Amino acid sequence: RNRKYLTVDASGQLVCLPGFECKGIGTGQPSSTQTSMCTLHGKMRTFECLVHDTGTGKLICAPGKECKGVSVNMLAQAGPGGLQQPGLTSA
């Protein structure tokens, strides 16, 4: 999203300017049915459950809508040592 179409809301988050609201990925679906992967946990989530990480810009689970566990694919990618992120285990 181009910065010229964004503003900062009361909570400090970037949001679309009135009249320039995001329309999703172009599928015509409402954002409540569009999905993308949470890059922290490797799970597909609706856009309503994701936010952009302020450091990386990647989509991660939103506060209060955190992923429950990690995907099987994420565990497989982690290898024999398991996940190394704090708070996540591969047990």
Side-chain angles (χ1 to χ4, degrees):
R1 186 82 207 199
N2 191 311
R3 176 81 169 117
K4 70 181 181 180
Y5 299 112
L6 301 173
T7 188
V8 178
D9 68 7
S11 65
Q13 298 291 315
L14 287 173
V15 296
C16 299
L17 284 168
F20 297 98
E21 290 82 3
C22 294
K23 295 177 180 62
I25 300 175
T27 63
Q29 295 177 309
S31 63
S32 62
T33 60
Q34 294 178 356
T35 61
S36 189
M37 185 176 295
C38 169
T39 57
L40 285 179
H41 304 107
K43 298 188 97 172
M44 294 302 291
R45 306 294 308 276
T46 63
F47 282 127
E48 292 178 340
C49 296
L50 297 167
V51 296
H52 284 96
D53 178 67
T54 55
T56 65
K58 294 180 179 181
L59 290 170
I60 60 172
C61 46
K65 297 183 179 187
E66 290 85 359
C67 296
K68 294 174 177 66
V70 296
S71 73
V72 173
N73 291 336
M74 189 76 138
L75 290 175
Q77 291 173 3
L83 296 172
Q84 301 302 312
Q85 286 183 283
L88 298 178
T89 62
S90 58

